[in-house]
Each structure stands twice: as C-alpha cells, then as structure tokens.
Amino acid sequence: MRILRLAAAAAVVLAGVGAAQADDWSKVRIGTEGAYPPFNSLTSDGQLVGFDIDIANALCEEMKVECEFVTQDWDGMIPALQAGKFDAVIASMSITEERKQKVDFTNKYYNTPPAIGVPKDSKLAGVTKEDLSGILLGAQSSTTHSNYAEAHFPDAELKLYPTADEYKLDLENGRIDAVIEDVVVLSDWLATENGACCKVLSTLKSDPVINGEGAGIAIRKGEDELKEMFNKAIVAIRENGKYEEINAKYFDFDVYGD
Amino acid sequence: MIAANPATGTPRPPAPPKPWTNARIAGHVLMALWAIAGLYLVYYLIGNLEKPILEFLLPYLPIDWQEYANERLALQTFDSYLERYGQKYIDGLIVTLQIVGLSLLFGAALSIPIAAARSSKWKIFSWPAYGFVYFFRGTPLIAQTFLIYYGFGSFRPELQSIGLWWFFRDAFYCVVFAFTLNTAAYQAEILRGAVQNVARGQWEGAAALGLSKPVTFFKIILPQALIVALRPYGNEIILMIKGSAIAAIVTVFDMFAETKRAYSRTYDFQAYIWAAVLYLMIVETLRRIWDKLEARLTRHLKR
Amino acid sequence: MNEALTLLSFGPNGWGDEIAHGVLITVSLAITSLPFGLFLGFIIAVAKNSSEPSLKMAANIYTTIFRGLPELLTLFMVYYGLQIAIREGIRLLGYDVQIDINSFVAGVVALSFVFSSYASEAFLSAFRGIPQGQYEGGYALGLSHTKTMRLIIVPQLIRLALPALGNLWLVLLKDTALVSVVGLEDILREVGVAARNTKEPFLFFGLACVLYLILAMISSAGLSKIEGWSKRGETSR
C-alpha cells in the first residue's frame, strides 16, 4: 500500500510540474531554439544571445511584461507551443500558410531571403533546378528551407538535419554538396573561422507560398490579446529607434525588409 | 454437446456462473479501456477513408443519401493524410527493411569469426574479441551511430587517401556499418552461448566415430546450436528493427524519418500513430513467423 | 594529446563540467525511471500470472505494444502526445490547466513503459520458478493471500528475477541516450554540442561511449553485490 501511495504522490508531483497561471500576461514565456546564430544561440555558459533574443527583450520591455525564455528543439517548437510549454515563439519562424493552420502569427519582425551555400572549391555554376539536380543538399528539418528544396529542387537529394550545426559539419567535410539556409544565417557562419571552408553561391528568390511574408512571432490560436500586444510593440520599437539599434548591433543592412 | 451420462442421456448440468472476483472486474475494466482506445484509434484513422469509401459507394446509394454523401465530399477540400503521405511511409519502410536486412546479414557473417576468436584459447584472439563485444554491447546504439557517422566524417583526408571516403560519405552506408558492428557483437554472443550449450559428449562421440573437427563442428555441433540460438536470433532481429529508427537522426530517410517529416509538415499526431501501427505489424508478424519456425524446427524434440 | 586534454578539462575552455552534468542527468533519468518500471512491471506480471483470462489479455496487449514499438517512437509519442492528451483529458473535466511534460518527464514515462513491459517477463518467469508448495505452505500457516505474497513469494521472486532485471537495468541505462533526441541534456547531448563546437566529433562521441561503458561497469559491480546479498540465505555447498 505504501508503494501505491508513493506512486500516487509522485504522479501528482509530476503532473504539477509547471502548471501555468491564468492568462493575465504579466509574465510571458517565450520559446526559442538557441542554435540559429546570429538570430538565437547559446553561449558556452548557457546564456541566450542573438537578434531574436534582443528583439524579444525589447518587445517585452515595450509591453511592460516579464519575459522568461524556454529553449526548445526546432522540431518540437509548434507542438510545444500548442501544448502550452510557452506562450510565444520568437525563433525566426517564417509566417507560412501551412503553419497558420496550426498557430497564429503576429506581423513580421524581419524578412530575409534564403540562399545556397557551398564549399569554396565547389563546381556548382548556378542555383537553377538543373544546376542542383543530383547533388546532395542539406537543410534543417521542419524549416521553410527544407520545404523550398523539396518544391524547387526536386532532383537534388535532400538531407535533413535536426539543427544547423550538423549540416555545417557535413558541408565542411564534404558529405553534402550544398546547403539551403537563410542568407543572414549563412553569412554569419561564413564570416567566422569555422565557416572558412565555404561561401554563399547565390541567394534565392523567395517563394511567397513557402517562405511566407517573413519571420513572425507564433502564438497559440485564439490568443488575440497577446497577438495584439506583440503587434503594437513591434510597431513601437520600429518607431522609437530600438529596432534600429538592435539591427545595427548585428547587421549592416535593414533586416526588416520591405 | 457431450452428455454427462451416456447411459441415461441426461444432459450435463450447466456450469455454475463465474463469480465476479476482483481480478475478473479489473480484467474486464482494463479490457474495456483497451477496447475504447482501439475503437477511438480506428475512428480517428478512418477519417482518411471517408473520401474513398464515399466515392466508391456513391453510384449505389439511394438518391437522398447521395445528396448527403456529396455534402460530405464537398467538405473534404484537402487530400486525406494517407493520400498525401501513404507513399512516403512505404518508401521509408523499404529503406528500413534494407538497413535491417543488410545489417543482419553482414552482422551474421562477421559474428562467426568473432565468436570463434572469443572462444579461442589464445588470448591474442580472445581478448580483442572480448573487447569488441563488450564495447558494442555496453554502449548505446545511437552513440555508436554518431561515433561512426560524425566521428569518421572528420577524417575525410585520411579516408580519402585510403580510398574509403565514398563509403563513409554516405549516411546509409554509415548506418549499415554501425548497425552491422552492433549486431555482430550480439550475434557473436548468441552463437558462442549456443555452441557452448551443446554437450561435450557430442564432440567426443564424433571424435570416436573418427570425424575431423571441422566436420564435427559443421555437421553435428552447429545444427544443434542453431536450434538453441533460434529464439535469441529472433529477438535480435526485432531489436534491430526497433533500433533502426535511429537512422533517422543521421539523415537517412527510413520510416521513422518519413514519420518525423510528415509530422513537421502537418503537426498531425496521426503521423506517429501510423508509424506505430506499421512497426507493430512488422514486429508481430515476424514474431509469429518465428514462433511457427521454431515449433517446426524443434518438432523432433517434443515428447 | 595535450589539446584533447584541454578540451576535456573542467572550466571555461574545456567541456568537462558540461559533460559531467550530462552524466548526472543520464544517471538520474535511469534511477528515476527504475522504480516506476519495476512497480508497473510487477503489477503486469501479477496480471499475466492470474487465472483470469481478461486480465491476462489486457496485460499481454500492453507488453505487445511496448515491446514492439521502437523505443524512439514511444519516446516521441509520449513527448508530443501525452501532454496534449492530458490537457484534453483535464479539459473534459472542466479545468484548463497547462501541464508541462518536459523531456525529462517524457523520458521517465517512456522508459518506464518500455522497462516495465520487459520486466514483467522477468517477474513472470520468476513467478513460474516458485513451486506451488510455497503458496500452500503459506495458506497452511493461516496466512492470507496478501500476506503469503508479501512474506513468502515476493522475497523469493526478487531473488529469482534479479539476474534478468540486472540486464534490463543495463538496457535502460543505454536507452536513456535516446532521450537526448528530444532535447534532454544528457551525456549524448552534451558531447554532441561539444563535438560540433570543437569539431572533434570522434573524440567526444568516443568519450560518450567510454562514459556509458564506465556506467555499465559500475552497474555490473553493483549488481553482482546485490545478487550476492540476495543469495545470502542459500547454503554454500
């Protein structure tokens, strides 16, 4: 009987883990990946840094709410949002029709095109469907980039990796011939010592159906109040110069797009 | 019906009703829960079949039913999950079976010298074999797969110079290689255990008949050992099928990878349900075939 | 060689402290799953051992499912599905509580399911190794069924089931590595991060294997101690 009681107690404890408070939005939990520099990444001592993180902090300050970051693997981002692990995703998530069926999005907070990265000694001439036919093309799984590759480069053999770090490793050692990724993310990596192996071959023309209208903040369906709070805050930081300040910290061009 | 008393022909009295013991109540409640879960699952998945079933039945339905059916069909603007991803699962399944089949085959071949070395009297053979078996049985398959895929990936110049890069470049080969080494270690232990299990008298008897050692081994010891090894071999195949899902993590599009990809496109939990159904079907079928096989091969041992 | 030592050192330049933390997580995941798995496994074995066919069948369905599914799939289903299932369940009762099944909890649940379905077989064969006379002896002494089980059968059962359970513990320890795939910062995850950052995958994944081997060795030593202890009642001949 004692064992039974113990099990019951344990079950209660487990179930109690992180029971969230009601939606008064004095505190917002924000999900991010922490493996997508320069937008979001973890330092070696476990601190979240990057454009997404700075923007999130600026937005929270603007909305006068307390923000708490939760790191989550990319593959599980939307399920975790739906399940209530956090209330908003600020992780460079593109606003797409496919995702809109599951979650709501705020307006975009930046928009950059995808690009193809290759080793410096690559013999690839261009980035048309024919040029890339038959090559091994790496991408992060569950991303718009992997969808783009499936739609636009059907003759390339697609390899899906759980995080960006893994395809970088494989592009460097030559397991794959090219990767498809956001141009800013690629450039950031190529500028470091680790990215010395490779170069951007060309940016790609965004496909509005796949790439959507840029990166937005994902929110559970129906939580319009929070969505409006974020939308207003995005407008506010665009106007008061805070966005510009953060933009300048990371990039020498305007990532907001037009 | 057999009469209780053949002389008088009076029928046997009916069996007393079974009492409702706690165990019986618990059993029925649990079975009811399983039945509900099963029915819910069928209901959940049958949504996929509504469109084809309705389309098939449409011409045969009475007029007013046809109207309703058309209304239902009009609601289904999207292709059902199965229509969109069914083929992907089949493709993935084929890759899964290829990985498992090749690994088991190569592993079986490799396990023979390892088992032989492991039972050798000379330490120069038995120790490395012991080390190999201990390593591959003592560490997680997923860690071994990473070690081989990412670890060997960093030795590109060395591998290129010995002309093996084409092999380690390909994720599929890497996975088959890792799984082969893993299953070889397990199979070697199965084989060794089974051979040792054969009574010494069998060796002695064969020697007394003047048979050479190799002939004794292949004609007398091995057949008996394989019967003992049958069940563990079956378990090893099942473990391999289940373990093969790890291939998905290193970019091979096996069934699990296709499942993950479909889930990431739809966020529809069906993705995992279908994978579970398929894996369970494969494993259960195999287990049943294996039971039959074992019953047949050991029929001379039955008393 | 020196370089490798620096990478493995503790402190800001090395990955030693991160990996040590990973070892801690791996071990605590396995240790937390164990009691749940043992308890569930025992209950299922009792059900399978019962004379009631419906109870047997219910238990058999459970083990068929969790022994047939790939562990990785079970883990993903628990990680993505359980949270939503519980939330919907609570919502049916009229509450709106959000429950966080993090990767550790998902790991404990999934590993307990898997462990228990194998452990039930170990317990079941142990049940079969106890002669009927032991039960009869208990009843003859006037003990109730529960007391007979508790005082006479279970102590023997544990001794008989120990070797098989020991093997299952080693399997459990290895299975914890899968939980790294859903984001738990265990050994494999930490060495993966280190491998990608330092570009020394062979060194770090090799280290992970060595760490798992060490854990297995410690376990084996511990298990043989426990087995020796459980057999202390047997006369040595």
Side-chain angles (χ1 to χ4, degrees):
Chain A
M1 226 38 232
R2 223 180 311 158
I3 303 177
L4 259 182
R5 226 175 298 151
L6 201 70
V12 169
V13 170
L14 286 184
V17 179
Q21 71 278 36
D23 312 349
D24 60 358
W25 303 131
S26 61
K27 191 173 165 193
V28 176
R29 288 166 306 159
I30 292 171
T32 196
E33 188 195 5
Y36 200 61
F39 291 107
N40 59 75
S41 57
L42 282 166
T43 61
S44 61
D45 53 345
Q47 290 295 313
L48 275 167
V49 292
F51 181 79
D52 286 341
I53 310 303
D54 286 355
I55 289 286
N57 281 327
L59 292 175
C60 292
E61 199 184 315
E62 186 63 40
M63 301 190 301
K64 300 194 174 52
V65 299
E66 192 190 329
C67 276
E68 183 191 309
F69 287 98
V70 181
T71 49
Q72 164 70 43
D73 279 5
W74 181 255
D75 268 342
M77 201 62 90
I78 286 184
L81 174 67
Q82 288 176 317
K85 255 175 213 179
F86 34 76
D87 310 306
V89 176
I90 306 187
S92 299
M93 187 177 276
S94 300
I95 306 162
T96 67
E97 281 307 315
E98 226 170 33
R99 288 179 181 144
K100 271 186 188 165
Q101 291 177 9
K102 300 290 168 184
V103 294
D104 281 352
F105 279 99
T106 64
N107 300 326
K108 69 162 184 177
Y109 64 94
Y110 79 83
N111 188 10
T112 46
I116 294 281
V118 292
K120 280 197 173 131
D121 56 2
S122 170
K123 290 185 184 64
L124 283 176
V127 290
T128 62
K129 184 178 155 192
E130 289 73 31
D131 288 328
L132 296 189
S133 124
I135 68 152
L136 291 163
L137 179 60
Q140 187 178 3
S141 65
S142 323
T143 57
T144 50
H145 306 300
S146 67
N147 296 348
Y148 191 99
E150 272 179 59
H152 291 267
F153 310 123
D155 302 328
E157 194 182 326
L158 188 60
K159 295 267 163 195
L160 295 182
Y161 294 82
T163 70
D165 285 333
E166 276 122 357
Y167 71 64
K168 288 174 187 169
L169 214 55
D170 269 1
L171 182 66
E172 200 183 340
N173 66 30
R175 269 219 182 94
I176 47 181
D177 303 307
V179 295
I180 175 166
E181 180 55 279
D182 186 285
V183 66
V184 175
V185 174
L186 265 184
S187 314
D188 184 73
W189 171 56
L190 297 176
T192 65
E193 197 186 326
N194 282 338
C197 63
C198 310
K199 62 177 183 189
V200 172
L201 183 61
S202 166
T203 53
L204 299 166
K205 199 175 163 320
S206 280
D207 177 338
V209 177
I210 291 168
N211 300 93
E213 56 225 83
I217 299 167
I219 286 169
R220 268 187 300 283
K221 273 209 173 296
E223 281 176 355
D224 297 335
E225 193 192 340
L226 186 62
K227 185 167 121 182
E228 275 322 300
M229 283 164 68
F230 271 120
N231 273 336
K232 277 190 197 132
I234 292 173
V235 173
I237 61 165
R238 285 283 299 166
E239 277 168 3
N240 69 13
K242 189 79 194 157
Y243 187 99
E244 224 170 302
E245 192 184 306
I246 297 169
N247 190 108
K249 184 173 156 194
Y250 292 94
F251 315 109
D252 48 14
F253 60 97
D254 184 10
V255 286
Y256 189 76
D258 29 51
Chain B
M1 280 301 258
I2 301 167
N5 186 340
T8 58
T10 43
R12 168 184 290 205
K18 267 204 208 160
W20 280 94
T21 57
N22 283 343
R24 195 159 169 232
I25 294 168
H28 280 74
V29 168
L30 288 174
M31 276 313 290
L33 286 179
W34 277 129
I36 290 169
L39 284 175
Y40 179 73
L41 198 66
V42 171
Y43 165 77
Y44 180 61
L45 297 180
I46 208 97
N48 282 294
L49 298 178
E50 189 179 351
K51 195 169 152 193
I53 289 176
L54 282 180
E55 274 170 356
F56 176 76
L57 287 178
L58 203 57
Y60 310 105
L61 290 175
I63 293 294
D64 41 341
W65 284 35
Q66 272 187 6
E67 262 169 44
Y68 176 71
N70 273 324
E71 264 169 46
R72 292 292 304 177
L73 278 175
L75 283 178
Q76 307 216 343
T77 46
F78 288 99
D79 282 348
S80 72
Y81 185 85
L82 267 193
E83 278 173 278
R84 277 177 296 162
Y85 294 103
Q87 185 56 41
K88 297 267 183 203
Y89 278 85
I90 306 291
D91 296 346
L93 178 63
I94 291 168
V95 175
T96 291
L97 293 179
Q98 279 172 346
I99 293 173
V100 173
L102 288 174
S103 309
L104 284 170
L105 212 65
F106 294 137
L110 190 60
S111 73
I112 296 168
I114 294 170
R118 178 101 162 72
S119 356
S120 164
K121 285 191 290 271
W122 292 314
K123 284 191 176 133
I124 188 169
F125 291 126
S126 69
W127 281 36
Y130 177 74
F132 177 87
V133 170
Y134 195 86
F135 180 83
F136 281 99
R137 299 205 327 157
T139 53
L141 178 57
I142 185 170
Q144 295 160 15
T145 311
F146 283 178
L147 181 66
I148 285 168
Y149 184 74
Y150 288 114
F152 278 80
S154 63
F155 295 130
R156 180 183 178 187
E158 292 87 340
L159 287 168
Q160 262 175 334
S161 66
I162 53 171
L164 282 178
W165 176 243
W166 63 271
F167 183 86
F168 287 102
R169 186 181 183 211
D170 192 292
F172 181 84
Y173 292 145
C174 281
V175 162
V176 170
F177 183 62
F179 287 11
T180 297
L181 294 181
N182 182 277
T183 188
Y186 281 92
Q187 289 189 33
E189 282 303 276
I190 295 172
L191 195 62
R192 192 179 67 98
V195 169
Q196 278 183 350
N197 192 50
V198 179
R200 276 210 68 78
Q202 299 284 330
W203 285 98
E204 288 159 4
L209 288 172
L211 296 177
S212 70
K213 279 221 160 165
V215 173
T216 312
F217 182 76
F218 284 107
K219 296 273 170 187
I220 294 174
I221 307 297
L222 200 60
Q224 300 184 62
L226 285 181
I227 285 183
V228 177
L230 205 57
R231 182 142 289 265
Y233 266 130
N235 289 338
E236 176 60 18
I237 296 176
I238 289 175
L239 283 182
M240 234 29 225
I241 293 175
K242 291 166 50 175
S244 70
I246 289 168
I249 317 290
V250 289
T251 76
V252 175
F253 278 117
D254 73 334
M255 191 155 81
F256 191 63
E258 293 292 0
T259 306
K260 277 180 63 183
R261 176 149 71 157
Y263 184 66
S264 77
R265 293 298 291 262
T266 59
Y267 299 107
D268 187 341
F269 201 69
Q270 267 190 54
Y272 288 113
I273 306 275
W274 284 113
V277 169
L278 281 170
Y279 274 113
L280 275 185
M281 264 166 39
I282 299 169
V283 169
E284 266 310 284
T285 317
L286 192 79
R287 205 170 59 90
R288 270 151 214 256
I289 291 174
W290 215 259
D291 281 350
K292 284 254 157 62
L293 192 72
E294 198 182 10
R296 177 150 180 84
L297 288 179
T298 57
R299 65 194 187 283
H300 61 287
L301 297 174
K302 296 248 158 54
R303 273 176 248 231
Chain C
M1 196 60 223
N2 253 337
E3 239 171 88
L5 283 181
T6 319
L7 288 176
L8 299 180
S9 70
F10 289 71
N13 293 325
W15 293 84
D17 30 0
E18 282 83 1
I19 293 171
H21 180 251
V23 173
L24 206 67
I25 297 280
T26 292
V27 172
S28 34
L29 176 61
I31 289 180
T32 318
S33 311
L34 184 68
F36 294 108
L38 281 175
F39 179 72
L40 259 176
F42 180 74
I43 300 280
I44 291 157
V46 171
K48 280 186 175 175
N49 200 37
S50 119
S51 52
E52 168 59 39
S54 64
L55 201 56
K56 252 187 210 177
M57 198 169 161
N60 279 331
I61 292 175
Y62 177 91
T63 47
T64 304
I65 291 176
F66 289 109
R67 283 161 40 128
L69 289 181
E71 289 78 3
L72 206 52
L73 182 60
T74 308
L75 182 67
F76 270 70
M77 291 179 82
V78 169
Y79 185 67
Y80 289 131
L82 190 62
Q83 192 151 3
I84 293 170
I86 293 179
R87 203 161 77 121
E88 293 302 312
I90 293 177
R91 199 170 266 178
L92 280 181
L93 299 176
Y95 297 95
D96 190 12
V97 190
Q98 269 157 20
I99 288 175
D100 183 12
I101 303 283
N102 60 29
S103 50
F104 189 86
V105 177
V108 169
V109 173
L111 292 177
S112 304
F113 282 159
V114 175
F115 184 88
S116 63
S117 58
Y118 284 96
S120 72
E121 291 292 307
F123 281 123
L124 188 64
S125 61
F127 264 123
R128 292 187 178 143
I130 296 173
Q132 200 57 33
Q134 297 286 332
Y135 294 89
E136 287 159 8
Y139 299 145
L141 287 172
L143 297 178
S144 67
H145 180 68
T146 331
K147 274 204 161 168
T148 311
M149 283 295 275
R150 190 157 63 89
L151 297 174
I152 299 176
I153 307 302
V154 172
Q156 300 187 60
L157 195 74
I158 292 171
R159 180 168 53 84
L160 288 172
L162 251 181
L165 291 177
N167 279 335
L168 289 179
W169 162 257
L170 294 175
V171 173
L172 174 67
L173 210 53
K174 290 190 281 172
D175 280 349
T176 56
L178 297 172
V179 187
S180 66
V181 177
V182 291
L184 184 73
E185 285 165 347
D186 72 337
I187 297 177
L188 197 61
R189 178 105 175 165
E190 296 287 4
V191 297
V193 173
R196 288 190 291 274
N197 275 298
T198 59
K199 309 205 168 235
E200 290 283 355
F202 199 80
L203 173 72
F204 281 103
F205 286 120
L207 174 70
C209 288
V210 170
L211 288 172
Y212 282 108
L213 277 183
I214 292 173
L215 289 179
M217 282 177 199
I218 297 173
S219 303
S220 303
L223 283 167
S224 61
K225 273 247 165 73
I226 297 176
E227 259 175 61
W229 170 81
S230 77
K231 284 182 185 154
R232 71 198 184 286
E234 286 176 9
T235 47
S236 48
R237 267 176 275 214

